[in-house]
Amino acid sequence: MTSHDLRAENLTLGYSDTDIVTDLDVQIPDGRITVIVGANACGKSTLLRGLARLLTPRGGQVVLDGKSVQDMRSIDVAKVLGLLPQSPVAPDGITVGDLVGRGRYPHQGWFRRWSDDDDRAVEAALEATGTTELADRNISELSGGQRQRVWVAMALAQDTDLLLLDEPTTFLDINHQVELLDLLTDLNRASGKTIVIVLHDLNLACRYADHIIAMKKGAILAEGAPKDVITAAVVTEVFGLACEVVPDPVSDTPMIVPRGRHHAPQAVIQRLA
Amino acid sequence: MAATLEAPVVRSGRTRRRRRAVVATTVLAIVVFCQFVLTMMVGDHFVPPVDVMLSAVHLGDDPMTDFIVRDLRLPTAATALGVGLALGIAGVVFQKLLGNPLASPDFVGVSSGASAFAVAAIVISNAGAAVVSASALSGALLTALIIYLLAWRDGISGYRFVLIGIGVSQFMLSIVGYIVSRGDLYEAREAMTWIVGTVGQAGTGELRTLLGALVLIIPVALVLERPLRMLELGDDTAKALGSRVELNRVAMIALSVVLVGFATAVAGPIMFVALIAGPIAQRITGPGGGILAAGLVGAAIVLGADLVAQHLLPTSLPTGVITGIIGAPYLIWLLATVNREGRGG
Ligand SMILES: Nc1ncnc2c1ncn2[C@@H]1O[C@H](COP(=O)(O)OP(=O)(O)OP(=O)(O)O)[C@@H](O)[C@H]1O
Ligand SMILES: [Mg+2]
């Protein structure tokens, strides 16, 4: 896997009349796993879409390997950089194998249609996500979690050096969440794939991230190694939630224990008094 | 990724899908061809199939047969074939593009827009074939543009497109009704073309335009099949896979609208063909099927409807009445199931 440099410079992104992400600078560490966390509607998906050239910047630019992605052909970006959107839509009546196969689009052309490489990539992606037995099933007959794994398989079949995933663990039970994150870690460790994931589970985020980015209102509030970044103060600032941060007994990364109104120690004391 | 893995499951699935689609499409083409020949065989004077084919390719030696086949029946058969292909292709492209089975050009008002302009050209300016075709095309383009602009909000949602399209369609139909009611030069029968559509009385000029457009557009449509398979995944996924979404979408809408415009200029708004051709083709070919199969199903429907309308019923009816009888129950079923599955939005 060749090394890549993906960064945003003074990036401003928005929809119709509002700017969502303003003047943001970020560099995605090459060959590492980056996790983006932040409250709902803070602009995580918007940033990911901007990085993947789905949105045209209103200011600044996204630079991939020294070139503004806006100046690159979309197909060339798609050979290097993949994105799994937050809520992808499946066409009517499509089978799992067919859908995953469409991830091969950027590697094909008018003259170079389907090849053995494509078959192999699809097979490996199905295998990795545990969806091989589903290959001939219709997408509409799958459970939410099965469907989510199929979408991940499509993104894997694209076989890019950089992969951005927007909440890939939605709909997954806890076991499949951990399995998916383990799988992404395997891919990262084995082949050096650069991975960016938006996650809502802070504990898993801290565990799997080499680099964590905490966003608030379209800006980066803090970034770095989870141990350095995720403190009670930062979590409170980002999510407006009072919490304790303790070491994760399994991975020794930060683990967030939320307080809430009914379970803060004061409440316990008051009830006893 | 493990590059040494064999890929039996995937490959066999893909091959099976491909083979089924190819076989089914070939069978459809044969059926359409047979219907096409049959249309030229039957009538007051029966012509055997071999004579039909010889005469159609100018190898016949009987002037009487030539007259019946080439002058009387070939125009109708060619109209039905061309209109069916055009509507089937346009319908499936719209439906896939907008991700909604209701989003066919006849349902969202593109056909009615074409009718309104064509009728206006005929009644108001007594126009010739070229002007009628051009008006129908402008009507179709203008209607599509209006719907597109009204439905645009940071992208196109199929649902909004359909709702706005139905409104525009009603508006255009009321214009057709108004013009037809005012045009006294009109025979009632001719006005009928612009209300329900029929393949029986096509003008040669309009027919030539449609067939010419088909010869140019069908290869383009087949080339656009690949990008269409991306676009039906939604804008974000399609863009992430490197597809040029806006360009492809505009190209495909334009191509479908041109087909609908010319088809309407020839035969009026034959309803429901565009709506049902794609889904029926998908049933027949399986998920591997494509644009061509939908066009062939469209042709089969129009040719079949014309045969029924002309020969199986005591009085001959406009083609659109027959397609309406097939299409209306499907539409009701579709509305019922789309809402049940929550896919309406
Ligand atoms: N297509 C769009 N058109 C207009 N506004 C949008 C669009 N997509 C997102 N927004 C707005 O941009 C803001 C940021 O949205 P974004 O999807 O980036 O949030 P997010 O951080 O991914 O949230 P979540 O955790 O809920 O996924 C929100 O206020 C949202 O309403
Ligand atoms: Mg999001």
Side-chain angles (χ1 to χ4, degrees):
Chain A
M1 211 148 282
T2 42
S3 73
H4 294 281
D5 177 23
L6 176 65
R7 61 178 77 210
E9 295 171 350
N10 304 319
L11 184 66
T12 300
L13 300 165
Y15 306 97
S16 40
D17 47 1
T18 38
D19 287 350
I20 304 294
V21 168
T22 36
D23 222 10
L24 179 140
D25 283 284
V26 71
Q27 182 181 3
I28 303 301
D30 183 46
R32 316 303 297 274
I33 297 180
T34 301
V35 175
I36 303 179
V37 297
N40 286 140
C42 74
K44 304 180 297 294
S45 299
T46 305
L47 174 60
L48 233 52
R49 299 174 74 213
L51 288 175
R53 201 185 178 277
L54 269 54
L55 286 176
T56 311
R58 295 187 162 175
Q61 57 178 351
V62 173
V63 180
L64 175 61
D65 299 331
K67 264 199 284 185
S68 164
V69 289
Q70 246 17 74
D71 299 337
M72 296 172 70
R73 296 194 317 150
S74 50
I75 192 103
D76 292 332
V77 176
K79 279 176 191 156
V80 182
L81 173 67
L83 168 76
L84 174 62
Q86 184 166 359
S87 15
V89 282
D92 267 354
I94 189 173
T95 61
V96 170
D98 188 2
L99 184 71
V100 174
R102 295 196 189 185
R104 299 300 298 165
Y105 178 86
H107 302 285
Q108 299 162 347
W110 299 118
F111 303 107
R112 195 198 149 295
R113 290 291 170 98
W114 197 269
S115 71
D116 287 352
D117 276 354
D118 296 331
D119 272 334
R120 258 179 254 122
V122 170
E123 182 84 346
L126 290 169
E127 178 83 38
T129 51
T131 48
T132 311
E133 312 79 62
L134 304 178
D136 282 328
R137 296 269 295 276
N138 204 309
I139 291 278
S140 55
E141 309 168 342
L142 302 185
S143 80
Q146 289 175 322
R147 205 172 301 168
Q148 185 69 21
R149 282 185 284 142
V150 171
W151 284 112
V152 172
M154 191 188 83
L156 293 183
Q158 195 177 341
D159 201 11
T160 51
D161 291 351
L162 294 115
L163 179 56
L164 318 183
L165 304 116
D166 199 346
E167 300 191 24
T169 53
T170 12
F171 299 115
L172 298 189
D173 64 43
I174 181 127
N175 177 36
H176 280 117
Q177 290 186 31
V178 171
E179 258 181 26
L180 175 62
L181 291 168
D182 276 345
L183 163 69
L184 294 172
T185 309
D186 288 344
L187 287 173
N188 166 262
R189 303 286 187 259
S191 60
K193 201 192 266 289
T194 305
I195 294 176
V196 181
I197 319 171
V198 173
L199 275 187
H200 276 302
D201 187 320
L202 285 177
N203 298 334
L204 290 178
C206 289
R207 225 187 241 193
Y208 286 93
D210 298 313
H211 187 84
I212 197 162
I213 297 177
M215 283 183 73
K216 184 180 181 182
K217 294 199 179 121
I220 294 180
L221 195 88
E223 63 173 314
K227 265 196 172 158
D228 306 334
V229 171
I230 299 302
T231 60
V234 166
V235 175
T236 308
E237 173 79 30
V238 172
F239 293 97
L241 170 78
C243 67
E244 300 285 333
V245 173
V246 297
D248 185 321
V250 172
S251 57
D252 199 33
T253 49
M255 187 165 98
I256 289 80
V257 185
R259 281 175 186 246
R261 282 189 298 110
H262 295 287
H263 302 285
Q266 287 91 326
V268 179
I269 293 163
Q270 274 166 12
R271 206 182 319 140
L272 290 176
Chain B
M1 225 164 269
T4 49
L5 259 175
E6 284 307 315
V9 179
V10 179
R11 186 177 306 150
S12 72
R14 232 177 52 80
T15 321
R16 208 166 344 108
R17 284 198 299 276
R18 263 272 275 304
R19 194 179 310 134
R20 172 166 170 203
V22 169
V23 169
T25 308
T26 313
V27 170
L28 276 171
I30 295 169
V31 169
V32 167
F33 179 77
C34 294
Q35 285 178 302
F36 184 72
V37 173
L38 184 63
T39 305
M40 292 187 280
M41 284 160 53
V42 292
D44 293 335
H45 177 87
F46 179 83
V47 181
V50 176
D51 295 357
V52 163
M53 285 186 264
L54 286 178
S55 173
V57 294
H58 294 252
L59 291 175
D61 45 13
D62 175 19
M64 177 66 184
T65 306
D66 278 356
F67 173 72
I68 292 175
V69 171
R70 287 219 294 270
D71 294 345
L72 296 184
R73 294 179 189 165
L74 182 59
T76 305
T79 306
L81 177 70
V83 167
L85 279 171
L87 293 179
I89 291 173
V92 79
V93 170
F94 259 62
Q95 285 163 334
K96 292 204 168 184
L97 211 53
L98 295 163
N100 193 316
L102 289 171
S104 86
D106 49 352
F107 201 67
V108 299
V110 177
S111 305
S112 356
S115 298
F117 275 58
V119 176
I122 294 171
V123 171
I124 295 168
S125 67
N126 222 342
V131 179
V132 174
S133 284
S135 307
L137 180 61
S138 339
L141 286 172
L142 191 72
T143 323
L145 191 68
I146 291 174
I147 304 171
Y148 199 82
L149 291 180
L150 288 177
W152 178 271
R153 213 173 293 154
D154 271 319
I156 282 290
S157 127
Y159 197 48
R160 213 162 43 224
F161 195 97
V162 170
L163 288 181
I164 290 172
I166 292 174
V168 172
S169 176
Q170 290 309 314
F171 176 72
M172 290 296 173
L173 286 177
S174 64
I175 292 183
V176 174
Y178 175 75
I179 300 176
V180 167
S181 73
R182 298 303 304 267
D184 3 301
L185 355 152
Y186 250 89
E187 296 160 315
R189 199 174 143 73
E190 197 167 349
M192 200 68 160
T193 306
W194 299 104
I195 297 169
V196 291
T198 192
V199 296
Q201 35 195 303
T204 358
E206 289 95 333
L207 178 56
R208 287 225 179 91
T209 317
L210 171 67
L211 296 180
L214 277 170
V215 168
L216 291 179
I217 287 179
I218 287 180
V220 179
L222 295 182
V223 166
L224 286 177
E225 179 119 49
R226 209 171 90 87
L228 185 61
R229 283 160 62 76
M230 285 296 112
L231 282 184
E232 63 176 340
L233 297 173
D235 285 15
D236 273 8
T237 311
K239 281 187 198 166
L241 289 171
S243 181
R244 282 188 291 176
V245 170
E246 316 297 345
L247 182 78
N248 284 323
R249 177 162 42 219
V250 168
M252 280 184 263
I253 288 189
L255 166 155
S256 313
V257 168
V258 168
L259 287 179
V260 172
F262 286 154
T264 311
V266 177
I270 298 186
M271 294 301 279
F272 293 116
V273 177
L275 182 77
I276 61 182
I280 292 179
Q282 173 117 347
R283 280 282 156 91
I284 297 175
T285 60
I291 295 178
L292 188 61
L296 289 169
V297 170
I301 294 172
V302 179
L303 283 163
D306 175 62
L307 283 167
V308 173
Q310 297 308 315
H311 307 295
L312 285 189
L313 299 175
T315 49
S316 81
L317 285 172
T319 325
V321 173
I322 307 296
T323 60
I325 291 170
I326 312 169
Y330 168 74
L331 179 61
I332 292 168
W333 174 82
L334 189 63
L335 288 171
T337 53
V338 161
N339 279 340
R340 184 143 34 84
E341 289 170 25
R343 280 190 293 119

